[in-house]
Amino acid sequence: MGRVRAEGEPEWLQEDTLLAIEWQRLQDETCGGCGHLLTESLDEANDYEAKRITCFACQAKERAEHAASEHEGADLSGHKMTVVHTGRRPLLDG
């Protein structure tokens, strides 16, 4: 994704630079652990509640990694696990 740069055009347009600066500003203002804005999450006056959620894609990935690591003598060096969406299960009527 991106633009095709014509001969003589700069690698970065002014809009590209402005978007990169804005992206970096958002990264700098956001907690890398929880994703909340630091102006709010560092203020002791704010309360937070943690809730457990399940990412079923991560669950499938982690189960496959665990199963692969249980094989005796398996060399998993350099192996990565990827997750592919294979569809939806039908909802149960209840």
Side-chain angles (χ1 to χ4, degrees), residues 89-94:
R89 293 184 299 271
L91 295 176
L92 299 176
D93 290 335

Side-chain angles (χ1 to χ4, degrees), residues 23-82:
W23 178 86
Q24 186 61 58
R25 184 188 66 76
L26 287 171
Q27 296 303 303
D28 293 345
E29 294 178 1
T30 303
C31 174
C34 68
H36 287 271
L37 290 176
L38 291 171
T39 55
E40 293 177 359
S41 63
L42 296 179
D43 184 345
E44 292 180 17
N46 289 313
D47 289 326
Y48 291 90
E49 179 181 317
K51 294 185 178 186
R52 177 178 290 193
I53 62 169
T54 301
C55 174
F56 295 103
C58 287
Q59 184 182 62
K61 178 179 178 273
E62 290 165 10
R63 283 181 175 166
E65 288 171 339
H66 180 72
S69 70
E70 287 185 336
H71 286 89
E72 286 290 325
D75 181 11
L76 301 177
S77 302
H79 289 233
K80 305 289 185 243
M81 194 68 65
T82 187

